[in-house]
Amino acid sequence: GESVGLHLPTLSVQEGDNSIINCAYSNSASDYFIWYKQESGKGPQFIIDIRSNMDKRQGQRVTVLLNKTVKHLSLQIAATQPGDSAVYFCAERSQGNLIFGKGTKLSVKP
Amino acid sequence: NAGVTQTPKFQVLKTGQSMTLQCAQDMNHNSMYWYRQDPGMGLRLIYYSASEGTTDKGEVPNGYNVSRLNKREFSLRLESAAPSQTSVYFCASSDILGSEKLFFGSGTQLSVL
């Protein structure tokens, strides 16, 4: 069956360092991969997405990398700030449906 | 700019009680969704509405009903609450069905005793 999972449930980084959050997926037919950020007490917020025919996409301080060979997705956050502390979810779109992973909690140490 | 508004934010029910969770969006989106979020389970789709006048079951629809009252509003009803329905519920909307970009409300934390 389809699944979206995460390698690490928690990640702690020093303020100013770069963060890398990883995600594995199993459905090679998924056409979009997405990252959402969920701050405490709030709903998930769209960060960035990438089409399946791309390898890399950059946003403001964030980069998403897609490796279709090993079915791996990562979110890189440059110069991590305290405001980046949140749970990050990856999701894949398969046949028009979004399938969410379980989330990685990112903690930023001052 | 309100986006997606959910009410109530918190609710405690006794087993067997009923309640309706309200959701409204002001982005003129066509599609709306209800998800539940449980620890270690990620977000799971309960019901969705592709457009005004249509609703469909998602991954975990049992025990729930929905109403797409108009383009703005999409409500979720628990007819007879059970402890297994203790969860955080999120409403979301998107411009079209299947969009990868969903806009979420702030959630309703529901406890069923």
Side-chain angles (χ1 to χ4, degrees), chain A residues 36-63:
Chain A
Y36 282 84
K37 172 186 180 183
Q38 186 177 22
E39 297 176 88
S40 181
K42 297 183 179 180
Q45 180 182 15
F46 174 93
I47 303 173
I48 191 169
D49 62 359
I50 186 169
R51 292 178 65 106
S52 59
N53 62 355
M54 300 172 65
D55 298 320
K56 179 180 180 179
R57 189 173 185 206
Q58 288 184 293
Q60 186 176 10
R61 279 202 308 119
V62 296
T63 300

Side-chain angles (χ1 to χ4, degrees), chain B residues 46-102:
Chain B
I46 304 171
Y47 268 93
Y48 65 96
S49 171
S51 60
E52 184 178 356
T54 69
T55 62
D56 284 287
K57 295 178 180 179
E59 180 186 357
V60 289
N62 291 345
Y64 306 95
N65 284 302
V66 291
S67 295
R68 183 74 183 267
L69 304 171
N70 47 55
K71 191 171 186 179
R72 290 186 64 248
E73 298 172 290
F74 188 40
S75 62
L76 178 72
R77 182 161 178 83
L78 286 71
E79 290 291 351
S80 179
S84 61
Q85 294 178 305
T86 293
S87 187
V88 181
Y89 291 84
F90 288 99
C91 177
S93 69
S94 64
D95 55 353
I96 58 172
L97 183 68
S99 171
E100 74 282 8
K101 190 171 184 177
L102 301 183

Side-chain angles (χ1 to χ4, degrees), chain A residues 14-110:
Chain A
Q14 201 72 37
E15 181 178 357
D17 288 351
N18 297 333
S19 303
I20 301 176
I21 302 171
N22 297 304
C23 179
Y25 66 93
S26 61
N27 189 347
S28 57
S30 293
D31 62 346
Y32 263 98
F33 301 89
I34 312 102
W35 284 99
Y36 282 84
K37 172 186 180 183
Q38 186 177 22
E39 297 176 88
S40 181
K42 297 183 179 180
Q45 180 182 15
F46 174 93
I47 303 173
I48 191 169
D49 62 359
I50 186 169
R51 292 178 65 106
S52 59
N53 62 355
M54 300 172 65
D55 298 320
K56 179 180 180 179
R57 189 173 185 206
Q58 288 184 293
Q60 186 176 10
R61 279 202 308 119
V62 296
T63 300
V64 56
L65 299 177
L66 178 63
N67 185 331
K68 294 180 287 294
T69 302
V70 295
K71 296 180 182 175
H72 184 267
L73 182 70
S74 69
L75 177 70
Q76 300 179 359
I77 304 173
T80 311
Q81 302 169 359
D84 295 325
S85 293
V87 175
Y88 290 81
F89 293 93
C90 64
E92 61 180 312
R93 190 175 77 176
S94 176
Q95 298 178 323
N97 299 314
L98 286 188
I99 303 166
F100 288 86
K102 295 177 175 60
T104 293
K105 183 176 182 180
L106 175 66
S107 296
V108 182
K109 296 178 288 187

